[in-house]
Structure formats: C-alpha cells, structure tokens
Amino acid sequence: MSFEGSDRQRLFVGGSWVEPDGGHYPVIDPATEETVGGAPEASRDQVDAACAAAREAFGPWSRTAPEERAAVLARAADIIHGHLGPYAELAQAETGATTGTARGMQVGVGAARFRRYARLEPAEWAIAPQINDAGPMGRAGVMGALAVRQPVGVVTCITSYNNPWANPAGKIAPALAMGNTVVVKPAPQDPLSVYRMAEALEAAGVPPGVVNVVSGRSVEVGEAAVSSPDVDMVSFTGSTAVGRRIAEACGRDMKRQLMELGGKGAAVVLDDADIGSAVAGIGTTFSFYSGQICTAPTRVLAQRGVYDRLVEQLAVYAGRLKVGDPREASTVVGPVISAEHRDRVESYVETGRKEGAVVVTGGERPPCERGFYVAPTLLADCTNDMRVAREEIFGPVVCVIPFDDEEEGIALANDTEYGLIDYVWSGDVARAFRVARRLRAGGVGVNTVGRNMEAPFGGFKQSGVGRDVGSYALHAYSEVQAIVWPG
C-alpha cells in the first residue's frame, strides 16, 4: 500500500525538499506487514544543514509579530483539518491505530494543537515597583521591572512513535508561537506523517528554515540533532534510557531540555470505589494505542475489599475486546508497532508468569494471519518487586497488586522510579484528593483517565523534566528576561 507523495519521501531542510544522502528505508504497516512508503535516511551533514538553516531563520522569525506567527499556525490547522481523511489513513498505516484513534486522537488533536497556539497570550508582565535603599550600585529610589518571555532559539524536537500527529504538533506549535525555529527528528517507525505536517506548514506560509524535518533509523541522526552547536534546546518524548543519554549531551553545553519520558502509572483503587468506573478507566490500557502510551494505568493497586471483584471484572472486560484489523469498525485493539516490540511485550508476560503472577486472561498471541498483535493480558497476584510491576512494558498488559490499607496503597504507588500520571478511584472525593496529594507523580486522575488539555503535563523522578501543554508549553519554549529601570 502506498500513499501519494509518501512512497519515496524527501527531507525538508531550509525550505527545500532534499534527497537523502542515506537513501530510503521501508516504513511497515504493523497491521498488514506491508510497506507503506520509503522514509529518508539523513546524513550527519544534512542534519547539520537543517540545524544551520534553523539558526539562520531564527532571528527574522523571532522578530516577526506574534500575530503573524499565530496566523501561520491557524492556517496550518485549517490545512490539516481539511486533509483529515488522507492524513488519518497514512497515520493508521504507519502506527496500526484504529480508525477513530487515527482521525480523532492523532490528526484531530494535531490540528487542535496548532489552533490552540494560534491563540495569543501575554509575553510580558509588569512587576510591582520596589523602593530600594541607597547602596553601592546606585541611589535610593523606586525601581520598575518587567518580566519578558523570550524565545529559547533553535529547538530540536525528537518525537515518539505512538502519535505522529499530536506529539509533534505539541512541540512544534508552541515553539513556533514563541518565536523559536525547529529541527524535527521523528520516530523512525512512522515519520511520513510528520512530513505531511511539514507540507501543511509550508503551505501555511512558514518561512524557509523555520521548520526542518530530518529522519533516519541510525542513532547518528538523533545524536547530530542534539549535539549541533546551532541547537539551544532539545524537546524529547520517549524512553527514560534514551532521555538520560540526551540529558547528558545537553548538560555539556547547558542546553535547555523538555523531557517527557517513561511511565508506570499506578491506579489506586480504594475499597469504596465504583468498580465499573475503575474497570473502564484501567481497561484503556488494553485498548488505547494497544497500551503503547506512557500515561496508561498499567500498575493497578487494589484494596483487598475490592481486589477479587476488580480482577474478575477486568478479565471480563479484556476478554470482550476485539483484536484485529484496525480498519474494521468493530476492532478495539490494533497491533503494536513492530514485530520486535511484540516479542518484547510477550517476553514481559512470560517473565511475569515465571515470577509468580497469574495470567488471568491473554498471554497467548492472537490468531491473526498477519500483523504484530498482542492479546489484552491481565496479570493478577503480582507484587511490587516483580519486573512487570517495575518496568514500562508499553503494551496491553495490566498487573494487579493487592494492598491492605490506604497507607500501604500510597507507599506502593510511590515505590517506583517513575512518576508521570497516577490515578485514584474512590467513592469519597475528599478521600481521593487526600490520597492524590500524596502521590509522587506529575499528574493524578481522580475517578477518571481523562485529561484537561490546559493542565500542565510532565513527570516526577525518572518520568521527565519540565512541563508542557496549554500555557505551560509556551513557558517551556521560552526564557524569562527581566528588564529593570529607575522609576
């Protein structure tokens, strides 16, 4: 299967479409194992050229009126929305997402994020005047001050494979709105959608060099995009292991960082919880992106009074989910991204079994002729020291751990190196909020797995550095400058 304009993709560097020095590699549809198109393999020289182009474009773009930058983002949103159908087909082919997810949560959210950051917000704030005593730096008097948000400069955006529209848009749009320029290095599994995004931005009138896209399977491409002296900041979404290496490289040159890394979300289900609501929320681990999402409630901590019922109902829920072709309307669980990742997820299930976990449902490869499918799998009678409870599996696998009282549940939830998003289910909202405030996570859902798209997003501990989403993303892609004068 091929898509017009995507069968042999070119790099986007300095406003031009450039043939890759490294040729092309195949992008594989995880549902059919067919080739979607050829993705370009950039050389280090081409990555350096992209960073240099972004540096050259930064000055003029940063001085462009905010209203003009916003107009470009708004036009891009209109173009993306106008091509929702074909863009969603390509995203589905690259990722294996179900049709509803590809249209709504991938392309739809991508367009919405460009529209969100086309909304102008204040970039400066007056600070209350201060009366200073006479000192060595000057005379006594009233000092005025202004806090101004300035763009960081050139931002390298390294994006995740699980959402090639919402994730890149969530980096590119606020970065451009603040006056930065970007070099985008998409995930090697699904870069073609990001090139469609670049086409939309080009058509929307983004000047040459403001947006550059370079892709490749080799580690060298990402390393070059991080280490370039033209780059001032790196925004990365991916594994904690890779994030550590990027942070080390950034630290040498004091480059700014925004890191959204791994998660092992704890879902604390208290004994007064609505079990149906908890099952529906936890069950999204099985269905949403086939569990390939860092915010999934994969580690369920159930108070003993509800433990048996929760396990029983989760098993029923998982067993009813149709696994198969994501293009069929009745499919709920599509494939994972690759054969290698399927094998990795299956190895975790086997590890859990060996560690003493009970495989209540799943654990067997679905009987699909083609594609990289993993059955929704529920592991019960787990303990918090098992690998399946401590490491991010990134697949449709849920492990359930019993606890006795509230204090033990909180302690278990916090006993992890991760801290992205946790969840609490309780019939007593005050109790749920009390528990939520004690969880060491960047976000906590109370009786929901839904998100407020203006709330700050990011993690504690090994789950990342910094916050984005909403106005917080504008903060993330800017530096604060103080301007002081005598009153």
Side-chain angles (χ1 to χ4, degrees):
M1 181 181 298
S2 65
F3 292 82
E4 183 180 354
S6 65
D7 52 346
R8 280 179 59 84
Q9 180 63 54
R10 292 179 291 171
L11 306 169
F12 189 54
V13 177
S16 298
W17 294 94
V18 181
E19 286 295 330
D21 289 344
H24 294 81
Y25 67 89
V27 174
I28 304 301
D29 184 333
T32 66
E33 303 184 45
E34 296 176 358
T35 298
V36 177
E41 183 76 44
S43 66
R44 177 175 284 272
D45 286 345
Q46 289 179 313
V47 177
D48 289 343
C51 296
R55 171 57 60 198
E56 183 177 354
F58 170 64
W61 179 250
S62 66
R63 293 189 294 270
T64 300
E67 293 81 4
E68 293 182 37
R69 298 198 297 261
V72 170
L73 297 179
R75 288 194 295 269
D78 289 341
I79 292 167
I80 293 168
H81 184 75
H83 292 78
L84 191 151
Y87 285 170
E89 285 185 40
L90 177 58
Q92 183 174 54
E94 289 191 285
T95 66
T98 60
T99 301
T101 295
R103 292 179 65 89
M105 298 306 297
Q106 292 188 346
V107 182
V109 171
R113 287 184 169 174
F114 278 103
R115 199 170 304 285
R116 162 64 180 85
Y117 293 107
R119 192 173 82 203
L120 297 173
E121 294 191 24
E124 57 184 49
W125 299 266
I127 298 173
Q130 179 181 354
I131 300 176
N132 292 343
D133 295 329
M137 298 300 292
R139 297 176 300 172
V142 177
M143 302 299 291
L146 191 67
V148 179
R149 288 206 172 272
Q150 298 276 20
V152 178
V154 176
V155 182
T156 286
C157 303
I158 304 178
T159 66
S160 60
Y161 72 72
N162 59 351
N163 196 323
W165 281 92
N167 185 263
K171 299 178 186 297
I172 297 168
L176 297 189
M178 283 305 307
N180 302 282
T181 56
V182 298
V183 176
V184 186
K185 194 279 179 187
Q189 297 93 336
D190 51 7
L192 302 180
S193 289
V194 182
Y195 285 107
R196 300 291 79 73
M197 189 180 297
E199 288 176 355
L201 283 161
E202 182 185 32
V206 68
V210 171
V211 175
N212 306 269
V213 184
V214 290
S215 59
R217 290 185 295 185
S218 72
V219 175
E220 185 180 53
V221 176
E223 289 179 344
V226 169
S227 63
S228 169
D230 286 315
V231 170
D232 301 290
M233 175 181 173
V234 176
S235 176
F236 171 71
T237 300
S239 72
T240 296
V242 174
R244 287 194 190 101
R245 295 200 294 272
I246 292 174
E248 289 170 0
C250 289
R252 288 192 290 269
D253 297 316
M254 293 297 177
K255 294 180 180 180
R256 302 309 187 245
Q257 305 164 43
L258 179 60
M259 299 280 181
E260 197 254 283
L261 307 177
K264 192 68 179 178
V268 181
V269 184
L270 299 169
D271 54 10
D272 59 353
D274 180 328
I275 299 303
S277 174
V279 167
I282 295 163
T284 60
T285 301
F286 300 131
S287 56
F288 193 48
Y289 292 135
S290 301
Q292 299 169 111
I293 185 165
C294 53
T295 59
T298 58
R299 187 169 55 108
V300 179
L301 309 174
Q303 199 161 4
R304 290 194 187 275
V306 295
Y307 177 84
D308 289 339
R309 278 193 296 145
L310 184 67
V311 169
E312 179 183 356
Q313 291 188 33
L314 277 172
V316 171
Y317 184 98
R320 289 174 175 168
L321 300 177
K322 180 184 175 182
V323 180
D325 184 352
R327 294 170 178 84
E328 292 185 6
S330 58
T331 294
V332 179
V333 184
V336 296
I337 194 67
S338 66
E340 293 78 11
H341 189 56
R342 176 192 60 196
D343 294 345
R344 178 180 180 273
V345 174
E346 289 178 343
S347 73
Y348 268 107
V349 174
E350 184 58 29
T351 295
R353 185 184 276 118
K354 291 177 179 176
E355 289 179 319
V358 176
V359 180
V360 180
T361 189
E364 305 262 337
R365 185 173 296 183
C368 301
E369 292 184 7
R370 295 180 301 172
F372 313 128
Y373 293 93
V374 176
T377 300
L378 179 65
L379 304 177
D381 295 346
C382 297
T383 59
N384 211 44
D385 58 351
M386 292 179 177
R387 282 188 62 199
V388 290
R390 303 205 70 81
E391 299 178 14
E392 187 176 38
I393 298 173
F394 221 59
V397 180
V398 170
C399 60
V400 190
I401 302 168
F403 68 90
D404 290 313
D405 56 32
E406 192 174 295
E407 288 299 317
E408 183 186 9
I410 293 168
L412 288 171
N414 290 333
D415 181 19
T416 173
E417 67 176 8
Y418 295 110
L420 189 56
I421 294 189
D422 287 343
Y423 305 88
V424 181
W425 270 274
S426 172
D428 182 339
V429 174
R431 182 188 187 193
F433 269 80
R434 182 177 70 241
V435 172
R437 293 291 296 268
R438 293 182 60 191
L439 298 180
R440 298 292 296 165
V444 182
V446 172
N447 293 327
T448 183
V449 292
R451 283 177 50 200
N452 181 320
M453 297 310 294
E454 290 296 315
F457 180 74
F460 287 13
K461 299 185 278 188
Q462 300 294 317
S463 283
V465 176
R467 297 293 183 272
D468 66 356
V469 176
S471 297
Y472 296 91
L474 299 174
H475 302 171
Y477 293 98
S478 62
E479 295 274 27
V480 178
Q481 179 187 62
I483 300 176
V484 181
W485 64 91

